[in-house]
Each structure stands twice: as C-alpha cells, then as structure tokens.
Amino acid sequence: MQVQNHWQGRTRYTVFDSDYGDGARVAALIAAWRVDPQRPRHLHVVALATDLQAGFHRIPQPDAGVTLDLLAAPLETALAELNAHLDFIRLHDAAGSAFARPLARLTTLGARLAAPGLDDDQRAALTAQGFVFEDPGHAVFASRKPRLPVTPEPVRHALVLGAGLAGCALAARLCARGWQVTLIERHPAVAMEASGNLAGIFMPLLSRDDNVPTRLTRAAYLYALRLWAQLGGVGQAFDGAACGVLQLARDADHAAVSRAIADEHTLPPDFARWLDSADAEALLGLPAPDGGWLFPQGGWARPGSVCEALLASCGARLTRLFGAGDVTLERAADTWLARAADSAVLAGAPTAVLASGAGARRMALTADLPLQTLRGQVTHLAPGAAPQLPLVLCREAYLTPSAQGVLCAGATYDLDADPALRTSSQLENVTRLRALVSDPHAAEAAPLAGRVGFRCVAPDRLPLVGRLPDFAAAGSTERLRDVPRHPGLYGLLGYASRGLIWAPLAAELLAAQLEGEPLPLEMALVDALDPARFVLRARRGGRQAANTAFEL
Ligand SMILES: Cc1cc2nc3c(=O)[nH]c(=O)nc-3n(C[C@H](O)[C@H](O)[C@H](O)COP(=O)(O)OP(=O)(O)OC[C@H]3O[C@@H](n4cnc5c(N)ncnc54)[C@H](O)[C@@H]3O)c2cc1C
C-alpha cells in the first residue's frame, strides 16, 4: 500500500522508516504531500539514519506542516526512546525480533506495516503484538491495548510571559504551527534582562561518558545551528559570527582526558577537533601550552538580535504586549488570565507558558521550583585593550572577537542581586582574561564598562521544559507521569549560561508536546528536562538548599 492512499482525511500522519538511506524516499514522500489536495495537515517523518552523531536529530523543514526526525540509534533503542504515534511503518532488513514490542507501543490502531523480507520469527513476534498480516510483507495493526497517551487537538492560542530568548523562540515555533501567541513582557522591548548581552557564546559540551547533559547540549547545539541556518544564518539573520570557538585545556590532566576523547574518533571534525599545543598556538597566535578543543561551527551571537529575528518570523499571529510591567497569571475556568499590577486583565488563553527567566522566582506559581538567580557581569573592552582574535577563546573565562566594536570578556558568577557594574567584578574578569591570553598587561587601565545580568539556574543546571508541577497537590508521587500538574501551564526556564542553544530546542520540544507531535528528543532526555523532576527529588530528600554550591 502507498502511504498517500492511507493518509487521506487525516489531520496528522506519522511515517516511520527504518532506513533513511540517501533521503530520496523521504524527499519523494514530502513532495507527494505538498501536491496532494487530500493531504493531512501535519506530516511527520521519523527515520533511522547512520551518518549522524548518536541521538535524535530534528531537521528543520521549509514546510511548516512537516517535521523530520533522523534517529541515529539501533532500531530497538530508537523505538524504546521514541514518543510518537506511528501510522505507517516501513521496516527494511530488521535483525532479530526484539523490536516488535517497542514498535507496537508506538503504533496506532489501523496503522500499516510494509516490511519485505521478514522471517517467520519476526512475523510471529509482530503477530503476537497485534499486527495482522495480509501477505508476508504487509500487515495492519489491530490491537486496541492502551499505549502512549494521545494529546487532544489543542486550542491554538497561548500566552507567553517573557520576551527573552526562551519566549521569543517559543513564539516562533508556535506561530509556525498556526498558533496565536500573545507575548507579554514587562519591558518595552525584547531582551532587556538576561538576553540583553552584546555577545553570547555558543558551543557544545564534551564528556568522556557522553552523559545526559552532554547529549542534551549536543542536541540543542546542532538543532540551533540548523534552525539558524534556516533563518538565514548567523551574521545574516542576526548579529554574530560562526567564527569558531577554541576552548583551551585547563591543565595537562584536562588535556589528557580530552585527547582520550579525541582518540575515540567518534566526533566529526566540523563538530569538534582536538588541537595539540602547536596547532592551537598556530591558530591563535598566543600561547596554548595544553592545547584545546576547536569547535569550528561555534561562535558568538547578540541574543537580542536573535530574539528580533525569531519574532520577525512570526507574522501576524503574534501579538506583542510589551511594557506591561510586572504581570501575574491566574486561572479562571479553562482560561489563563494575565493581569497587570493594577489587576487589569491584559489577555487570556487556554495555554500559558512562563518564559520569565529569573522573574519566575518572584511568581507564586513557580515559587516551589528550586531555581536560583546568579548574577553575571561582562566586561566591555575597546579593541586594542586585549588581543583581537579570529575566534572566540575560552577556558574559565572567555574573550570574543570584536562585537560591534567591543570585545566582551566575562563573566562573573555571583550570588548577590546587585544590578550595578562594580569594580571588583571587573577586576575578576580582567584577571581571568590575562591568564587566558597569557598577557599580564591586557586590559590595563580599562574603564569600568560592561553589563550585569541575572541567570536563572536549576540545581542540575539543566533547563525546565514542559508542564509545570503543582507542588501543593503532589502527595506521595513516585513517577514523573503521576505528578499533578497545573492545567495548561508550562515552563521554559533555567537556561543558565546556555540560553542561545537551549532556546530553539526547548521551544521545539514544548511546541511538539502541545501539539501531540513526535518529540524531537529521546524520552530519557525529555524526562531530564521535565520541570516535575524536582517534585520527585524533593520527595526523595534530594532537594537542594537555596545556597547550594553550583558546579560552574
Ligand atoms: C553575564 C551573562 C553571560 C552569559 N553568557 C552566555 C553565553 O555566553 N552564551 C549563552 O548561550 N548564554 C549566556 N548567558 C545566559 C543567557 O543570557 C540566558 O540563558 C538567556 O538570556 C535566558 O533567556 P530567558 O528568555 O530565559 O530569560 P530573560 O532574557 O531574562 O527573559 C525573561 C523575560 O521575562 C520578563 N519577565 C519576567 N517576569 C515577568 C513578569 N512577571 N511580567 C512581565 N515580564 C516578566 C523579563 O523582563 C525578561 O525580559 C549569559 C547570561 C549572563 C547573565
């Protein structure tokens, strides 16, 4: 059976293909979707690919109605980590039969399976799970056993509180899906709090054991690069440069661990390249005694210009309520209402998203989340006060190339709430900068200049993405899926020091959750971002005290 004969009359349709190959089959499917008057409104394609780094990769598409996920994982693992409702399944040369059960968990009633070349054991395993074979290579799924919960068709109108990177990225991903978005901001313009820096750095994270933060950061970094390319490119769609980032090793031990990671040869050279001392020094023109990682596609961007580019892509579906002052949210029947400080109702919608950064700590609905505010001061230097580099250089500190005629060096991590620039923070930045560029006179007599911002940080330093928990109603919950949640209330919080790359993937994930689309991340990683993780941790006694020492 052809996929096109089966999708007619459906609003949403998901195809799984166990072999992306050269992409020609998927390209033909999307081309057929484009011209079919009876096409589903949303087409989702999920396919296994072999030539990508391990993990799930969402590839931005020119058609707003299409999503494409390429999963770089063995079939059984990919199915176990996938959250999707499959309507058409193509299997090619599957090995063993252990995939039958995780496949059935994802399969919708009436879904079609096309699987030439199955052996008798595989057919028996699929039959046991509810597939009814019409001929040796084709089956229909007939089991009514409850599987993954189905998301009801949403009312596509959301209030988004906060016009920093988090809120602007969500507005873009929701408007692309046909949502009306009311974006509410205390200030008269975007990016006037944490997202207001002249330059933020973007780069991935590496670890020997490829742990959860590393996998999440990789997924976020790669998705951000792809989304920005679709927007028009870094330096074109917004201010910045994909000039590369060189992260110097802290010492010989750090260099040895890094070299061991490099020797595993799993990292594509355009993602990360280990440079020994001589190569790093040749690139930099400065001492680099222990070498460093080069991230060739990394760089810097001005977050405020990223916000503006994202909102420009929203079109007429976006309503800006800026200059709104301190807004609170309240639930009335099935609607979230945004109220101004004088209690006037500004807007209402069935869905509300808190993308309010450090402001979340002051809101009653999020007061129980263990979020901390960390002050950061960046130092702005005139060109000439420090070396002008061809790329971003970092270790404990960082130095950017000239951003609009300014070199940015930073940043401090402080527990106090002082909004003013201060000399002690500048001295801290300058001291670290001198060590970074091996020049004891760098930034000598630099005037006090820069910017102070406040990061919103969770104890595990991972963002919070998803439905917000109701701590008061939590009782003795042991599992994430049982944690009571506020109806229709979501969070995009805790972007810490990586807001540039968290924002696009977190927005895409939340938009997919709201729509009931396939999720762009492995379930283990989705769970690691679930704001309700702190309800379970609080219950297990693991809740962090307010003055926890963060690993920075
Ligand atoms: C010094 C410093 C250096 C950094 N360096 C980097 C870097 O190199 N790379 C990187 O990726 N990230 C960096 N970051 C982190 C990055 O800036 C943040 O992760 C990101 O800006 C967070 O975006 P956000 O939208 O969550 O928060 P914000 O930008 O703070 O946006 C939240 C918005 O919500 C609004 N708001 C809050 N409460 C209310 C309310 N009640 N009513 C109305 N409006 C409200 C606020 O006014 C604000 O505009 C740095 C941060 C700092 C402070």
Side-chain angles (χ1 to χ4, degrees), residues 161-168 184-187 189-197 199-202 303 307 324-328 355-360 362-363 374-378 398 411-413 451-456 492-503:
L161 188 66
L165 283 167
C168 294
I184 306 171
E185 169 57 50
R186 147 178 45 226
H187 298 293
V190 296
M192 292 190 70
E193 300 219 347
S195 306
N197 285 342
I201 296 171
F202 54 91
C307 291
D326 269 338
V327 170
T328 51
S356 44
R362 294 189 295 272
M363 297 192 74
L374 283 180
R375 178 185 182 276
Q377 181 169 326
V378 184
Y398 65 80
T412 63
Y413 284 86
R451 187 173 186 277
V452 173
F454 294 90
R455 310 170 184 89
C456 172
L492 287 177
L493 298 165
Y495 288 8
S497 298
R498 290 187 182 263
L500 276 171
I501 62 164
W502 287 136

Side-chain angles (χ1 to χ4, degrees), residues 480-515:
L480 277 176
R481 65 169 180 267
D482 297 331
V483 174
R485 318 269 176 148
H486 293 289
L489 184 68
Y490 299 80
L492 287 177
L493 298 165
Y495 288 8
S497 298
R498 290 187 182 263
L500 276 171
I501 62 164
W502 287 136
L505 184 64
E508 180 69 9
L509 172 60
L510 183 56
Q513 287 174 332
L514 288 167
E515 282 282 342

Side-chain angles (χ1 to χ4, degrees), residues 225-237:
L225 295 184
R226 291 180 180 129
L227 189 81
W228 294 339
Q230 199 195 31
L231 274 179
V234 184
Q236 266 102 45

